[in-house]
Structures are given as structure tokens and as C-alpha cells.
Amino acid sequence: MLVKMGLILWKCVEFVSVFFVCFRFAVSGSSPDCGCALNRNNIEDKPVVCENPAEKYSETSNEPPSGIREYHTLSKMVLMQGGWFLMGTDDPGIPQDGESPQRKVWLDPFYIEEHEVTNKQFQHFVNQTGHATEAERFGDSFVFEGLLSEDIKNTLSHAVAAAPWWSPVKGADWKHPEGPDSNISDRLYPWGNKLMPKGEHYANLWQGDFPNHNTAEDGYLNTSPVMSFPANGFGLYDMVGNAWEWTADWWNVHHTRDHARNPKGPETGTDRVKKGGSYMCHKSYCYRYRCAARSQNTPDSSSSNLGFRCAADTKL
């Protein structure tokens, strides 16, 4: 008998080493023409013409929204009971991503973090361990051009050929997500408080004409604070939208219908699987916030909409 676990397991089954599910470097993208599969090998020397964004951030937009609570460094871990579920689909929206076929998969019980790792939590981890991210070691990270200051835009000389709205920005990292003149203090940009019938938006996704204009109808022009949208039936937040989440699996697009128990991805590879989409996903160009959708990046890639959450074996 299938358990109703699709809303969570589709995102976490592709992890599946025993301790660790989804890395989420707080703050990207899958077919070659949308800029989802960002890596350091697909940029080109090219003049970057940047016009002023249609909307400017006001001073009040940078204030923390009322009602946002403080988060401690330890997150609640939710116990998933495990069982059979249906992974993938027989009606793929993006066939080249390996969304099909639909197959029956069993997972043992496991714990998963109720929300993505926050900047505050990651900062605590760095302070305790001295960890340096790839962005810090390489000296740059991919940033969405529409979020850059005019000073940073004037320094750009490279862009992603297939997705010119992404640029490698010197000095961008988890502490400076939009470049060296940005920081993670009050980096939230609520556009408004419009509510939809019977409540609010259920995920932080792109509204409007990508990549030219994000109406931010859901209240957030950029990434949103964790737990800003309602949890799913398992008490888990942001399982789609907001930021992509790393998984432990190496990328592979060939699957069988064979039943599997606690499956793992290939032993080796060049790209890791990521799941869930981000605030930049829009049906017109990156319809990857569906349960069966998936994408990939090289492990050394970093961008402003790619992060992670943690999971653990119940036997630990």
C-alpha cells in the first residue's frame, strides 16, 4: 500500500546517503537554454548590457517583515515513517531531465529538517568549523543580474552564454549574496502583502515575465525567510520554490520501472542532482517545481538561489 509521501520523498529520495540529504548553499537552474545547470565552464567573455531594474528597492523594503520570528541554530527534525511511494512520472514535463518512468520505491524511516538551512545557522556552522565554501575559494559566485547594484554591474565582463541574466560576480558568496557590497542582514525584499483567496501563496516562485520583470506577487522579489509559506502535510516548509536543494545523488537520466528499496544514485558522476526549483522558476522557462522535476549542477557551482537542508537515519 502506498503511503502519501510524494510531496516530500520526491525531493529526498535522490539523496540517499544515510545521513545527508540536501545541501542548500543559500541561494539556481536545467535545460541548457534556461540557465538552470550553471557551472564555471559555461561562461563567456561578452559585453554585458545592464539596464536599470524596472523596480527599485525602497528603504522600507529592506526592513524585516513584521511577525518574522528569530530562529535558533538547531532546527526541528521531522520523522518520516517511510514506506512505498511512486517516484517520477510517465508524463514528463521535461523528458531530457530523466523525470520518467514512474516507479515504485521504498524508503526506510528517516528524519528531515523542517526547513532549509538558514544563513544564521550556516554562519554558526562556519564559526564552529572554519569551513570555506566553493564561492569563497574560487572568489566568485553566480548572481542574478536584476539584483545587482549599479556599481557591481559596471564591473561585469562575463555572462552565461545561454542565460545572460546570470553573471559570475567577484566577491559574491554566502555572506555577500548579491556581490561584495551586499550582506545577509535584512536582505529580504517583500514587495507587498497581497493574499490569495483562502490564504497566501504556497511557494516562493517567479511571477511575471522572466527574466525581465518579477511582479513579486507572492510578497518576495528574492529568497524569502524560511517558513514564510504554509507547510505541507508532513510539517515541512519550502519543499518547492525559494531555493534549489542539493541532494547527494550523482546525476543520471536513465531509470527503470524496477521496484527499489532505499535506492542510491550512480557511484560516480560529474553533476549532482538538485530538487525543488527556486524563486526564479516560472512555467514559461523552468517548470521544475513539480514533484517529478529535477535538475543538476557541478558540485563546485554556487549561486544565489541554491541551498540545502539536512536529514538523518533513524538508527544514528
Side-chain angles (χ1 to χ4, degrees):
M1 183 176 180
L2 294 175
V3 295
K4 295 181 179 179
M5 301 181 73
L7 291 180
I8 165 68
L9 295 185
W10 59 265
K11 199 168 196 177
C12 296
V13 70
E14 298 199 73
F15 62 21
V16 159
S17 15
V18 186
F19 318 140
F20 207 161
V21 189
C22 311
F23 278 4
R24 198 149 171 150
F25 160 113
V27 205
S28 181
S30 208
S31 62
D33 60 346
C34 78
C36 291
L38 293 174
N39 63 66
R40 298 181 184 278
N41 297 320
N42 65 1
I43 61 175
E44 65 175 12
D45 291 322
K46 138 180 197 180
V48 179
V49 179
C50 301
E51 297 180 358
N52 292 334
E55 273 72 16
K56 296 292 186 182
Y57 305 136
S58 67
E59 183 177 352
T60 56
S61 295
N62 294 306
E63 295 295 327
S66 61
I68 296 298
R69 53 175 154 154
E70 290 292 325
Y71 296 97
H72 300 290
T73 56
L74 295 179
S75 296
K76 177 182 176 182
M77 299 295 284
V78 178
L79 175 63
M80 305 301 299
Q81 296 295 340
W84 290 105
F85 78 104
L86 293 175
M87 181 179 182
T89 178
D90 289 329
D91 184 23
I94 307 175
Q96 66 269 27
D97 281 355
E99 297 178 3
S100 63
Q102 189 174 85
R103 61 269 189 200
K104 198 174 180 181
V105 171
W106 170 277
L107 285 186
D108 290 340
F110 64 95
Y111 289 99
I112 186 167
E113 203 167 13
E114 68 173 343
H115 59 69
E116 307 101 331
V117 172
T118 67
N119 285 314
K120 182 177 181 179
Q121 290 173 319
F122 192 73
Q123 186 170 37
H124 179 76
F125 168 76
V126 169
N127 291 341
Q128 294 295 313
T129 65
H131 176 76
T133 63
E134 283 83 357
E136 292 169 294
R137 292 196 291 268
F138 280 101
D140 62 27
S141 182
F142 287 102
V143 181
F144 179 59
E145 175 261 326
L147 297 176
L148 296 174
S149 69
E150 294 301 317
D151 288 341
I152 296 299
K153 288 179 185 179
N154 292 333
T155 70
L156 299 180
S157 60
H158 298 79
V160 178
W165 50 86
W166 283 109
S167 294
V169 176
K170 297 293 184 183
D173 55 35
W174 70 273
K175 291 176 290 188
H176 312 93
E178 281 86 47
D181 60 354
S182 66
N183 58 63
I184 57 174
S185 301
D186 299 337
R187 62 177 294 255
L188 310 174
Y189 304 103
W191 190 254
N193 297 315
K194 178 180 179 180
L195 296 178
M196 299 191 67
K198 295 187 177 181
E200 58 281 9
H201 289 268
Y202 282 81
N204 182 9
L205 303 170
W206 188 282
Q207 292 97 40
D209 176 27
F210 186 89
N212 300 313
H213 177 58
N214 184 355
T215 65
E217 184 182 326
D218 58 14
Y220 301 97
L221 190 67
N222 197 350
T223 51
S224 57
V226 296
M227 305 173 76
S228 295
F229 298 90
N232 66 10
F234 298 100
L236 302 172
Y237 296 85
D238 295 312
M239 292 305 295
V240 298
N242 204 27
W244 283 98
E245 294 186 8
W246 284 113
T247 79
D249 272 14
W250 290 109
W251 177 255
N252 176 39
V253 297
H254 303 292
H255 314 291
T256 72
R257 292 188 183 275
D258 297 342
H259 293 185
R261 285 181 172 266
N262 301 313
K264 296 182 180 179
E267 293 295 323
T268 61
T270 58
D271 289 14
R272 296 280 190 182
V273 177
K274 61 182 184 180
K275 294 285 291 186
S278 79
Y279 76 94
M280 292 181 67
C281 281
H282 188 277
K283 188 174 182 179
S284 67
Y285 98 106
C286 185
Y287 191 28
R288 288 179 172 86
Y289 45 89
R290 295 166 293 112
C291 289
R294 55 207 297 272
S295 188
Q296 90 276 18
N297 271 112
T298 56
D300 64 356
S301 297
S302 62
S303 62
S304 56
N305 64 341
L306 177 58
F308 68 101
R309 77 177 71 207
C310 299
D313 195 314
T314 59
K315 301 180 181 63
L316 295 179

